[in-house]
Structures are given as structure tokens and as C-alpha cells.
Amino acid sequence: EENNQKLKNLNQELQAFYYSVSHDLKAPLRSISGFSEALIESFGSELDTKANDYLHRIFKGTMEMSALMDDLLKLSRISQHEIERRLIVPEPVIQSIVSRIKEQYPDWKGTIECMVHDQICADYKLFQVVLENGIANAVKFTSKTANPVINIDSYIESGSTVICFADNGVGFDMKHVDRLFNPFQRLHHQDDFPGRGIGLSIIRRIMDKHEGRTWIESVVGQGTKLFVAFENVCI
């Protein structure tokens, strides 16, 4: 009982920290970025190349920090979300998200095949977030592949429904796999694959809330498979 209370207090402190970082620091950041942008627009033509470069770096840095704070807030909201399990037919949800992601990445000309026929017992909103991050991640890391293909399928194993997101993208060395599910950890250069390393950590946190499992398999240059397993507690 005492340990449970300590964990509860620690969790509350973490949520307060996330909230403070994501909200209280936003105002000064907006001020810095706003004045930087105003200087660029109003006096950029009067400044030399080096001064302009410094101002653009300040502005870009504030935008990146603001995005990181938004990601912290996303993690905090997931931790606070009370899950409401229900039986979900995944395929129409997946098709809707696929359409939305293809609109977000109009230059991506690959194929996404969905063969998920098993029902899922999960919180509907959080399940959508898992799908969005899983598919978007696969799209991003197949963006330099000649003929990108993403396969989304499912199977039943040990009382759980497992969804697999498989792609033929860049892949990675499995010796670094433990880093992937930590926030803001990246294995590829920002210039090659833009992002902040938050998608997989969001998926892991959601699956932990469902008392489910998450794992990943990959081969450099041959693609990646992301697995999420939801227990069939609704059935």
C-alpha cells in the first residue's frame, strides 16, 4: 500500500512537471520567436548575412523547442487518460487513418495494404493514436525506398490480438532497439528522416496502459516490423 502511494505521488509530480514545461515555458518562447520573426521581417534587409543567419537560427530553435514541449504534453495526456475498453473493428479505422496520412504526405507514392480482420479490445481514442503513429512511422522510413510497401495485418496469439506494421524501408541495427521506445531517441539523422523520436514512445506508453505488449524487429536496408499486442479482455 505504501509503495502504491509513493508511485501515485511520483506520477502526480511527473504530470505536474510535464504540464509546467509544456505550458509555463510557452509564453517566453512565443515572445522570443515573435520578436525574432519581427526582426527578420522588419530589419532583415538591413542586416548582414551573419546577423540574418543568427536570427533565423534563434527562430528555428524556438520552433523546435515549442514542438518538443507539445510532445511532452502528448505524453502527459496519455498518462492521465482513463482507458475505456471496447470491442473495435479495426479495418475501417485503419482505412480512415491511411487516407488522412496519405494527405499529409502527398509526395509518398507507396502502397499500404490492410489485412486486419481480428477485433481489438482497446480504448478507441488511444487505439487511433497507436495506428496513426505506427503508420506514419512506416511511411516516414520508407520515404527513400524505390517502391514503398506497408503491410498491416493481425493474428491471435496467447489470448491477445497482435497487429503488425511491416515496411520495406531503411531499417536499423537491432543492437540499438532499446533506445527506440524512449522519448526523443533517434537512430537516423534529422536531415534524412525529420522527426523528434516521440512516436514509438507514445505507442509504448499506450500499450503499457492497456497492459499489452510492444516489440519491433528490423534488418538494415530490408525494413522493419512493429508489433502491438492487445489482450482480449473484452471477449
Side-chain angles (χ1 to χ4, degrees):
E1 182 65 33
E2 183 180 349
N3 287 335
N4 287 338
Q5 186 60 44
K6 287 181 179 178
L7 286 172
K8 184 177 180 181
N9 292 339
L10 178 60
N11 186 56
Q12 289 175 343
E13 289 175 7
L14 285 172
Q15 302 315 318
F17 169 75
Y18 281 140
Y19 187 89
S20 177
V21 167
S22 302
H23 285 81
D24 297 344
L25 295 182
K26 280 283 190 176
L29 262 184
R30 281 195 297 267
S31 179
I32 295 169
S33 63
F35 280 114
S36 299
E37 189 174 23
L39 281 170
I40 292 169
E41 292 178 355
S42 301
F43 303 103
S45 59
E46 301 175 24
L47 300 174
D48 61 24
T49 303
K50 183 176 286 189
N52 262 300
D53 179 56
Y54 289 165
L55 274 176
H56 279 91
R57 290 190 184 195
I58 292 170
F59 181 70
K60 181 181 178 182
T62 58
M63 292 296 98
E64 290 175 354
M65 187 174 288
S66 179
L68 288 172
M69 290 179 183
D70 288 339
D71 287 338
L72 281 173
L73 189 56
K74 288 177 186 177
L75 287 172
S76 175
R77 285 171 177 163
I78 289 169
S79 297
Q80 294 174 336
H81 184 88
E82 294 292 332
I83 64 172
E84 297 179 7
R85 299 177 192 268
R86 53 179 277 198
L87 275 178
I88 302 169
V89 178
E91 192 158 3
V93 186
I94 293 172
Q95 296 296 351
S96 174
I97 290 172
V98 165
S99 298
R100 189 158 66 245
I101 288 177
K102 284 185 174 180
E103 290 177 359
Q104 294 173 1
Y105 298 90
D107 295 331
W108 190 83
K109 304 301 180 184
T111 301
I112 301 178
E113 299 177 354
C114 176
M115 295 169 286
V116 179
H117 305 301
D118 300 297
Q119 290 185 325
I120 299 291
C121 179
D123 181 277
Y124 186 77
K125 290 182 178 178
L126 294 185
F127 179 61
Q128 285 184 302
V129 175
V130 168
L131 294 175
E132 287 169 357
N133 283 278
I135 298 170
N137 209 54
V139 167
K140 178 168 66 174
F141 290 108
T142 56
S143 61
K144 298 183 184 299
T145 303
N147 296 295
V149 177
I150 299 169
N151 290 294
I152 309 169
D153 61 15
S154 66
Y155 58 92
I156 305 296
E157 180 181 79
S158 303
S160 296
T161 300
V162 182
I163 294 181
C164 174
F165 305 85
D167 67 63
N168 63 342
V170 65
F172 63 89
D173 190 332
M174 284 292 289
K175 71 181 181 182
H176 302 300
V177 68
D178 291 338
R179 292 173 50 193
L180 282 178
F181 293 103
N182 294 322
F184 313 120
Q185 294 290 315
R186 296 174 47 81
L187 300 184
H188 301 92
H189 197 277
Q190 176 76 12
D191 293 338
D192 295 327
F193 298 99
R196 295 179 298 277
I198 194 72
L200 289 177
S201 60
I202 286 176
I203 290 174
R204 169 61 62 83
R205 186 158 297 192
I206 290 173
M207 296 310 299
D208 285 348
K209 284 187 72 69
H210 282 82
E211 299 180 345
R213 294 178 291 127
T214 317
W215 69 98
I216 198 165
E217 299 171 359
S218 188
V219 178
V220 175
Q222 297 183 33
T224 299
K225 292 182 178 180
L226 169 68
F227 300 86
V228 293
F230 292 89
E231 291 188 358
N232 294 326
V233 295
C234 296
I235 299 173

